[in-house]
Amino acid sequence: MTPKNADLPEAGTVRLVDYLVGELARAGVTHVFGVGGANIEDVYDAVHRTGAVRGVVAKHEFSAVTMADGYARTTRRLGVVAATSGGGAMNLLPGLAEAYASRVPVLALVGQPATGQEGHGAFQDTSGRAGSFDAREVFAPVSRFCARVDDADSLTELLPRAVAAARADPPGPVVLLLPKDVQQARVQLPCRGVATEPGVLPSGPTAAAPLDTVAVTAVADTLRGAERVLVIAGEDVAATDARAELAELAQRLGAWVAVTPDAKDVFDNSDPRFAGVAGVMGHANVEDCLRQADVCLLVGTRLPLLARGGLDRALAATEIVCLGAEPPFVPGTTLLGHLPDTLREVTGLLPPRRRACPQHSGPLPTVMPSPDPGAEGRTIPYTEALAAVEAALPDDAHVFVDAGNAGASAIHLLPAPRHGRFVVAVGMGGMGYTFGAAIGAALATGRRTYVLAGDGAFFMHGMEVHTAVEHAAPVTFVIFNNNAHAMCAVREEFFQGGIRSDDLFSRTDLAAGMAAAFPTLQVTGAEDAAHLRRALLRSNAGGGPAFIALDCEPAEIPPFLPFQSFAEATRATRATETTETTDSEESSHERGVVHVG
């Protein structure tokens, strides 16, 4: 039926929000995550009406951003979040900060009061007028591009610019501020032959700049002349889908391959070349290989402190070459460029023969002292719990690891799935990131997705389980409950002379609480590692979310380098008490301690 003129005030025009959602769909966006409100409701109305993009309403705007973040990290497509003005807009900031620091392409559509109300006491006014603060100045530091859409016609210019900035090298979040009246304004439809014809937005990364051929040759010459090479690979390998290029280069060089804590999935953890995780949650074998290496090749990482903690002396004594979009935090020879192109160009100048790597011990786990055997209650050690997770984890699953003791243990102990992501948000390291991010990933890919988080992270943003239930997202939430902010408590004991009671909590029965709140949710309170494994396998077989809680000991020390000297002292003290000797022990403060925030 042809619409009447009353239904279409101007022939060939649509609401700006309908145009916006249509262009996002043409660019490959399948989901918009967020929380509604009066000044963003028109965007959600357009999402509902078009049907081309699925709207997912979160419980909190931070988690909505992390949903878009997880969506982007697992699909390599643009993640989109939409939120209203005022407090809703401000709640986006920590999630955008993570996306900015971790170079994740996310578009934030942020509602604003109508233009005629700004500067005149509008509710949630952030125009910068009449004493209000300017939202552009707030979002600019955590975005690659931030603009206010002052009129409908300007969107056709600003939207492509924003998306191009999100996909540039380096990528990151971008923000468009959308006043209420501009969202409702009419825009002229572009002339297109068919609905499937490409729109104005780029559907992939922007074209890469040509490489410096002289620099490529110099890097290749350096690598050819090296007898032993240690590669340390980072998250940009996953972000640019350069795993195959990395593997080929490592084979040509006969190199060991280590990974940064946020990039455990960029190289096959079962490969004989795999040296382990570098840095403060890593494996001693990486330092052993580095000390033997003639060249340390950084691939897709700037090697921040979490990835180089404990390695600085060895790095200073080793020639360093870096391939990536940004210069590293350590001195060395740098070849800047789009990573897959750079890897292919350098590899093409190396001899075609594939070489075996020198022998090494592999990523043997650091032995940490077991929890005090006198601790009350039945708890599951991290080593046993993570062994159960490893046994149940599907090869194509995604894993999202939250901050804290459980997260440090997972990074150290749990191999990445061979065909899935292993995501750790170390950009800002915010607790609770995984709950939204895993939902975004699961809805985007349809794959079973695991969340590994502590109870502290759960109490921050764990109610996104409700979102998973509402959308039947295939997410398995595994909560390591030690009834504490345990990493804070361990730091207090080791660095500040004693644990403060405010980081130790009364016991909570998370499984019972979630079972009562969500009758359709598959909930398990795991009593031991075997029970945990069975619950995980049952969740794999189901189609929707599952929630598994297990009790852990708050005093258990994770394999975190800043704690290791104290862990050694703990073992020594226990040995001394056992043998009833009185020999003095070396003070932990006399040992080398790596301090990480």
Side-chain angles (χ1 to χ4, degrees):
M1 177 182 295
T2 303
K4 298 179 181 179
N5 288 340
D7 299 322
L8 188 62
E10 298 177 41
T13 67
V14 295
R15 293 181 306 169
L16 177 139
V17 288
D18 296 314
Y19 169 79
L20 170 60
V21 172
E23 289 302 318
L24 293 175
R26 289 174 183 271
V29 173
T30 59
H31 293 71
V32 170
F33 306 94
V35 180
N39 284 331
I40 201 66
E41 64 190 2
D42 296 286
V43 169
Y44 283 99
D45 180 64
V47 168
H48 174 74
R49 287 174 180 268
T50 62
V53 177
R54 182 179 178 184
V56 178
V57 174
K59 308 287 94 61
H60 191 281
E61 289 84 1
F62 169 78
S63 291
V65 181
T66 66
M67 289 177 193
D69 179 304
Y71 172 102
R73 294 199 203 213
T74 51
T75 65
R76 299 183 57 245
R77 296 197 296 264
L78 178 70
V80 180
V81 61
T84 194
S85 51
M90 296 302 101
N91 284 340
L92 297 172
L93 287 167
L96 293 177
E98 170 59 41
Y100 184 92
S102 292
R103 310 314 194 229
V104 181
V106 170
L107 167 63
L109 305 173
V110 184
Q112 298 287 278
T115 54
Q117 299 175 2
E118 292 177 328
H120 298 282
F123 180 58
Q124 298 179 333
D125 188 354
T126 54
S127 64
R129 301 173 184 174
S132 65
F133 68 85
D134 191 337
R136 286 171 294 191
E137 295 180 0
V138 174
F139 286 109
V142 293
S143 62
R144 301 289 176 191
F145 178 89
C146 178
R148 174 188 167 88
V149 183
D150 290 314
D151 56 74
D153 291 338
S154 65
L155 182 71
T156 56
E157 174 203 353
L158 293 174
L159 181 60
R161 286 178 60 190
V163 173
R167 295 184 176 281
D169 235 349
V174 294
V175 178
L176 289 178
L177 303 171
L178 300 169
K180 173 81 171 180
D181 56 323
V182 175
Q183 294 177 47
Q184 296 173 333
R186 313 293 297 189
V187 296
Q188 189 73 36
L189 278 175
C191 295
R192 295 196 182 103
V194 293
T196 57
E197 187 175 325
V200 299
L201 299 184
S203 58
T206 55
L211 295 172
D212 183 337
T213 55
V214 174
V216 171
T217 301
V219 166
D221 289 343
T222 298
L223 295 175
R224 267 199 308 270
E227 182 69 23
R228 298 187 175 199
V229 177
L230 170 66
V231 173
I232 302 180
E235 163 65 14
D236 199 33
V237 175
T240 59
D241 195 22
R243 292 179 178 85
E245 290 85 353
L246 169 64
E248 178 64 24
L249 177 63
Q251 291 173 339
R252 296 276 190 98
L253 292 173
W256 301 296
V257 179
V259 296
T260 58
D262 59 338
K264 200 166 184 182
D265 59 357
V266 303
F267 193 79
D268 185 353
N269 292 187
S270 64
D271 191 292
R273 302 175 188 277
F274 184 61
V277 178
V280 298
M281 291 168 277
H283 301 95
N285 180 58
V286 175
E287 182 179 3
D288 294 341
C289 291
L290 179 59
R291 292 189 181 280
Q292 299 176 59
D294 303 305
V295 173
C296 177
L297 176 63
L298 308 182
V299 177
T301 177
R302 304 178 71 190
L303 210 64
L305 183 58
L306 283 179
R308 74 175 190 271
L311 301 177
D312 282 314
R313 289 184 181 179
L315 286 165
T318 307
E319 184 172 3
I320 296 174
V321 176
C322 178
L323 310 181
E326 299 178 88
F329 294 114
V330 292
T333 301
T334 301
L335 176 57
L336 298 179
H338 187 55
L339 189 58
D341 297 340
T342 306
L343 287 168
R344 284 191 290 266
E345 291 294 323
V346 171
T347 302
L349 297 179
L350 298 176
R353 180 175 60 89
R354 295 182 175 182
R355 299 164 48 192
C357 71
Q359 288 188 340
H360 62 120
S361 64
L364 299 177
T366 301
V367 178
M368 304 300 288
S370 59
D372 184 350
E376 296 181 2
R378 177 180 294 177
T379 58
I380 307 176
Y382 292 133
T383 51
E384 295 180 15
L386 290 167
V389 173
E390 179 182 358
L393 188 66
D395 278 347
D396 65 346
H398 302 307
V399 178
F400 284 78
V401 178
D402 221 300
N405 285 359
S409 299
I411 292 168
H412 189 80
L413 296 170
L414 181 64
R418 296 192 65 177
H419 305 295
R421 292 298 329 263
F422 189 102
V423 177
V424 187
V426 298
M428 289 289 104
M431 292 172 66
Y433 161 89
T434 58
F435 294 92
I439 292 170
L443 292 177
T445 65
R447 297 189 193 181
R448 176 57 53 180
T449 303
Y450 279 33
V451 165
L452 306 180
D455 55 307
F458 170 78
F459 283 123
M460 290 189 180
H461 292 285
M463 281 300 103
E464 293 300 336
V465 170
H466 178 273
T467 309
V469 171
E470 288 292 299
H471 291 271
V475 181
T476 300
F477 300 93
V478 184
I479 310 302
F480 298 76
N481 182 14
N482 50 31
N483 297 293
H485 282 166
M487 183 167 280
C488 295
V490 173
R491 291 181 64 87
E492 290 157 14
E493 179 181 7
F494 290 161
F495 299 136
Q496 297 183 329
I499 300 176
R500 298 189 297 271
S501 61
D502 48 357
D503 280 319
L504 301 176
F505 312 139
S506 301
R507 184 181 183 278
T508 54
D509 189 340
L510 298 181
M514 297 302 283
F518 303 105
T520 63
L521 178 64
Q522 185 183 116
V523 177
T524 303
E527 297 180 356
D528 53 38
H531 191 193
L532 170 61
R533 179 176 177 272
R534 292 194 300 272
L536 292 168
L537 292 172
R538 186 166 62 252
S539 78
N540 295 344
F547 184 93
I548 305 169
L550 58 143
D551 288 335
C552 299
E553 172 55 49
E556 183 171 0
I557 303 172
F560 190 56
L561 187 58
F563 299 161
Q564 286 184 16
S565 61
F566 299 99
E568 292 166 7
T570 298
R571 282 197 297 268
T573 298
R574 289 180 180 174
T576 300
E577 292 172 348
T578 300
T579 57
E580 296 183 349
T581 62
T582 57
D583 294 338
S584 63
E585 294 292 332
E586 179 184 15
S587 167
S588 62
H589 295 287
E590 297 171 355
R591 299 171 182 268
V593 177
V594 178
H595 289 280
V596 179

